Amino acid sequence: MSIHFTVSGLTRNLIHSLGLDHEQAPRPLTPEQNLLLDCYLAGQIPDSAWSDYVFEMPELEKHAQLRRARSGVGGLT
């Protein structure tokens, strides 16, 4: 017998902040999310608005970090 359940975004963030989750590849973005990410990385979306999007869709920040790492942009100076 197995039990399946879903975890809300808030609970997922809590589990992550406690270090109880395992890192895994972010799920693929929808075309709309991909466009949103492209606009953010191009500087067309302010950080304050981006924070709201990331709160609703945490996978956006994972994809942003991956793209920054690939392009070598956004490192600490």
Side-chain angles (χ1 to χ4, degrees):
M1 180 169 114
S2 65
I3 298 174
H4 299 276
F5 60 93
T6 59
V7 178
S8 73
L10 183 59
T11 305
R12 187 176 329 130
N13 288 342
L14 175 62
I15 290 170
H16 177 71
S17 67
L18 295 173
L20 300 174
D21 61 346
H22 298 284
E23 283 298 317
Q24 48 185 295
R27 66 183 176 148
L29 298 177
T30 65
E32 293 83 11
Q33 291 171 325
N34 218 0
L35 179 60
L36 187 64
L37 178 58
D38 289 341
C39 290
Y40 171 68
L41 294 175
Q44 298 172 346
I45 297 175
D47 288 334
S48 58
W50 181 250
S51 296
D52 293 338
Y53 289 119
V54 169
F55 180 77
E56 295 293 326
M57 300 172 279
E59 66 273 6
L60 284 173
E61 185 58 28
K62 291 179 184 178
H63 281 276
Q65 290 173 358
L66 287 172
R67 286 205 198 167
R68 285 185 197 117
R70 284 187 208 138
S71 66
V73 176
L76 296 175
T77 55

